[in-house]
């Protein structure tokens, strides 16, 4: 018992010593004069962590406007406030900003001063989720790598708003009010390095036009899409993760080889109106088909290669790669047919 007490006290002493040394190092590294200047320029409403001098935390403060931002700041946290305007004045000295989080405020398009965003020449991440935007703000800084605009009221995308955003890799527009008419053939023109596009939870009835060719992840859940156009995925040959859950896809709305695409590794078609499993590619690894109207599974029919030929395969490289198959919420009765297991020899989980 005594040994345990001594051990606990020793650990507490060591932790306190490490913390004290860390704090002293911060003071020593900054110097007395620099430290005084550092604390005095921190906005009164915000928190400036000594161990993270490039960050400014002004979140959850009930702010109605943005305070003056010091020149040293790279990372700015303003989420969960009552801010409704975005003007140039607070950012006059903040020329090194890399990251701005303005989620959960009351910002409207009319509240964004013209040109205020495009003047942030080094900005990489812009978060404007859960605001009151009705269109994608413009112009935007050409340096942007991520733009998050989820859960607004966006129904319009200004022409050419993305045309100069060659560095953008992630665009999140989910849970807005986008109709098919908002996505024209040139809407995403210029997004040459985009890897993830999220347009889930909108009001689309058709697959969006002219998705950037380098897109790896395409999220279209919770729309009203009924048809996959013929050869749709040939224009996005790198797409790897495709989510079409909670749409209105039927067997007639899918071309014979619509999802027989070698790049797709994860295909999600849950909560649609399919009565049979669509043809898939041997490279597919995860397939979600739960909550459709599928009544039976025939392994010989759905196998992407001939089961007879599989007997001649001597290594994993030639057999179907499906590892996860979800079929619950359909009208299928267990057990899983033997020919399914013979075809998909790498299956690790089947939910039925």
């Amino acid at each position: 018992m005594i040994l345990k007490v001594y051990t606990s006290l020793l650990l507490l002493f060591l932790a306190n010593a490490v913390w004290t040394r860390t704090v002293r190092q911060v003071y020593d590294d900054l110097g007395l004069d620099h430290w005084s200047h550092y604390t005095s320029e921190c906005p009164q409403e915000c928190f400036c962590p000594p161990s993270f001098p490039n960050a400014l935390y002004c979140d959850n403060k009930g702010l109605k406007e943005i305070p003056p931002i010091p020149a040293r700041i790279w990372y700015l946290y303003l989420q969960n406030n009552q801010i409704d305007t975005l003007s140039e004045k607070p950012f006059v000295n903040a020329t090194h900003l890399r990251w701005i989080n303005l989620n959960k405020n009351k910002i409207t398009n009319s509240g964004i001063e013209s040109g205020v965003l495009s003047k942030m020449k080094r900005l990489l991440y812009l978060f404007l989720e859960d605001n009151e935007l009705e269109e994608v703000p413009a112009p935007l800084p050409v340096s942007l790598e991520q733009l998050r605009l989820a859960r607004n009221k966006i129904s319009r995308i200004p022409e050419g708003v993305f045309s100069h955003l060659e560095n953008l890799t992630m665009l999140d527009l989910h849970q807005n009010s986008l109709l098919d008419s908002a996505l024209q053939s040139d809407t995403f023109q210029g997004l040459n390095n985009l890897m993830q596009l999220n347009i889930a939870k909108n009001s689309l009835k058709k697959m969006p036009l002219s998705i950037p060719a380098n897109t790896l992840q395409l999220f279209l859940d919770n729309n009203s899409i009924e048809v996959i156009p013929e050869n749709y995925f040939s224009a996005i040959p790198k797409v790897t993760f495709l989510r079409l859950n909670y749409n209105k896809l039927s067997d007639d709305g899918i071309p014979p080889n619509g999802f027989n695409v070698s790049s797709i590794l994860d295909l999600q078609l849950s909560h649609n109106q399919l009565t049979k499993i669509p043809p898939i590619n041997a490279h597919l690894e995860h397939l979600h088909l739960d909550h459709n109207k599928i009544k039976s599974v025939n392994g010989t029919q759905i196998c992407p290669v001939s089961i007879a030929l599989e007997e001649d395969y001597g290594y994993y490289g030639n057999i179907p790669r499906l590892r996860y198959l979800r079929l619950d919420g359909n009208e299928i009765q267990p057990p899983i047919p033997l020919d399914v297991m013979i075809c998909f020899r790498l299956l690790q989980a089947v939910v039925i």
Side-chain angles (χ1 to χ4, degrees):
M1 179 67 181
I2 296 175
L3 180 60
K4 289 183 178 180
V5 172
Y6 279 129
T7 302
S8 299
L9 288 173
L10 179 60
L11 291 172
L12 181 61
F13 172 79
L14 291 173
N16 185 61
V18 170
W19 181 85
T20 304
R21 185 170 66 245
T22 302
V23 172
R24 284 177 179 170
Q25 285 175 346
V26 171
Y27 278 89
D28 292 342
D29 292 343
L30 288 173
L32 185 60
D33 293 338
H34 188 88
W35 180 260
S36 176
H37 172 70
Y38 168 77
T39 54
S40 64
E41 68 173 2
C42 183
Q44 184 178 359
E45 310 93 328
C46 307
F47 172 60
C48 299
S51 59
F52 197 10
N54 295 119
L56 181 60
Y57 290 86
C58 307
D59 51 309
N60 297 288
K61 301 294 184 182
L63 300 180
K64 294 186 177 180
E65 59 183 28
I66 300 173
I69 310 303
R72 70 173 188 278
I73 298 303
W74 287 22
Y75 307 98
L76 178 58
Y77 299 88
L78 289 160
Q79 66 269 28
N80 291 302
N81 283 294
Q82 302 293 319
I83 298 167
D84 58 6
T85 58
L86 191 56
S87 61
E88 184 177 348
K89 185 177 179 181
F91 300 102
V92 170
N93 297 318
T95 57
H96 296 279
L97 282 173
R98 305 291 202 275
W99 173 304
I100 298 179
N101 190 333
L102 277 159
N103 291 345
K104 294 187 178 180
N105 278 282
K106 298 183 180 298
I107 297 171
T108 62
N109 288 94
S110 61
I112 301 177
E113 186 176 326
S114 178
V116 61
L117 293 172
S118 61
K119 292 178 181 178
M120 299 178 184
K121 304 295 185 182
R122 303 184 183 185
L123 193 65
L124 302 178
Y125 301 89
L126 178 59
F127 298 174
L128 280 165
E129 298 178 345
D130 296 285
N131 278 277
E132 298 179 12
L133 299 172
E134 295 182 352
E135 64 179 47
V136 175
L140 292 163
V142 298
S143 54
L144 270 188
E145 293 182 3
Q146 287 194 17
L147 178 60
R148 298 175 183 252
L149 299 169
R151 295 177 299 277
N152 276 274
K153 303 173 183 177
I154 296 173
S155 60
R156 298 185 300 275
I157 301 179
E159 184 178 356
V161 66
F162 302 127
S163 60
H164 300 295
L165 302 187
E166 293 188 0
N167 296 308
L168 199 71
T169 60
M170 189 266 203
L171 175 60
D172 190 346
L173 288 162
H174 89 269
Q175 200 165 333
N176 277 284
S177 303
L178 292 170
L179 299 171
D180 296 317
S181 58
L183 304 179
Q184 300 299 314
S185 59
D186 59 350
T187 295
F188 301 113
Q189 185 176 347
L191 298 178
N192 299 327
N193 290 298
L194 193 72
M195 291 189 289
Q196 184 186 112
L197 178 60
N198 192 341
I199 326 178
K201 293 189 177 182
N202 278 278
S203 300
L204 304 180
K205 294 183 178 180
K206 300 177 181 179
M207 295 291 284
L209 301 171
S210 301
I211 300 296
N214 285 319
T215 302
L216 298 176
Q217 301 178 343
L218 179 58
F219 304 148
L220 292 163
D221 313 78
N222 293 89
N223 281 285
S224 298
I225 297 171
E226 298 179 353
V227 176
I228 307 293
E230 189 82 34
N231 299 318
Y232 181 84
F233 298 106
S234 62
I236 43 176
K238 297 181 181 180
V239 63
T240 304
F241 300 91
L242 178 62
R243 291 195 338 214
L244 279 159
N245 304 319
Y246 291 95
N247 276 282
K248 296 182 178 180
L249 289 171
S250 64
D251 301 328
D252 294 337
I254 300 175
N257 285 297
F259 295 120
N260 188 2
V261 180
S262 61
S263 65
I264 299 178
L265 303 182
D266 191 300
L267 176 59
Q268 300 190 20
L269 296 168
S270 305
H271 294 271
N272 277 279
Q273 300 171 13
L274 303 175
T275 64
K276 59 185 179 181
I277 298 177
I280 59 174
N281 192 272
H283 290 89
L284 187 67
E285 296 182 2
H286 294 83
L287 178 58
H288 298 246
L289 285 165
D290 55 286
H291 298 91
N292 276 274
K293 299 178 180 179
I294 301 170
K295 295 182 178 181
S296 63
V297 182
N298 186 315
T300 304
Q301 292 178 355
I302 67 173
C303 193
V305 298
S306 170
I307 291 181
L309 291 176
E310 275 200 72
E311 299 298 328
D312 299 329
Y313 293 158
Y315 57 98
Y316 279 177
N318 286 334
I319 67 176
R321 300 178 187 176
L322 194 67
R323 288 171 167 79
Y324 180 88
L325 175 60
R326 184 170 178 183
L327 292 166
D328 55 304
N330 285 282
E331 301 175 30
I332 304 169
Q333 297 298 321
I336 295 293
L338 180 60
D339 55 2
V340 172
M341 308 309 294
I342 293 175
C343 173
F344 302 108
R345 301 183 186 183
L346 301 182
L347 265 176
Q348 297 174 356
V350 180
V351 184
I352 190 169

